[in-house]
């Protein structure tokens, strides 16, 4: 998508006027070693904000330390 990010889902909608990506069904967003999964993901490209709805699972990596954080 941008900045090396990749989104996967059953149905993806890109709203160009709002600079938003909407993913539905087995949604996953991966970028810079970080991963977010959920039933629905909305990604605001303008603010680089991610909203996860339903069965959210997030794994954040600490790029500077080279390890994982969270969980």
């Amino acid at each position: 998508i941008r900045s090396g990010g990749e989104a996967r889902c059953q149905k993806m909608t890109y709203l160009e006027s709002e600079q938003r990506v909407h993913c539905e069904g087995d949604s996953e967003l991966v970028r810079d070693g970080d991963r977010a999964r959920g039933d629905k993901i909305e990604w605001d490209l303008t603010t680089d904000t991610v909203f996860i709805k339903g069965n959210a699972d997030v794994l954040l990596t600490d790029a500077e330390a080279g390890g994982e954080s969270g969980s």
Side-chain angles (χ1 to χ4, degrees), residues 26-66:
D26 297 322
S27 302
E28 180 177 49
L29 175 63
V30 179
R31 186 177 67 182
D32 299 329
D34 297 339
R35 178 183 47 80
R37 292 182 182 163
D39 294 334
K40 294 182 182 181
I41 295 178
E42 295 180 16
W43 186 8
D44 185 324
L45 301 175
T46 304
T47 62
D48 200 26
T49 304
V50 176
F51 303 92
I52 306 165
K53 299 177 181 181
N55 297 311
D57 179 33
V58 178
L59 174 66
L60 301 176
T61 60
D62 184 350
E64 292 181 21

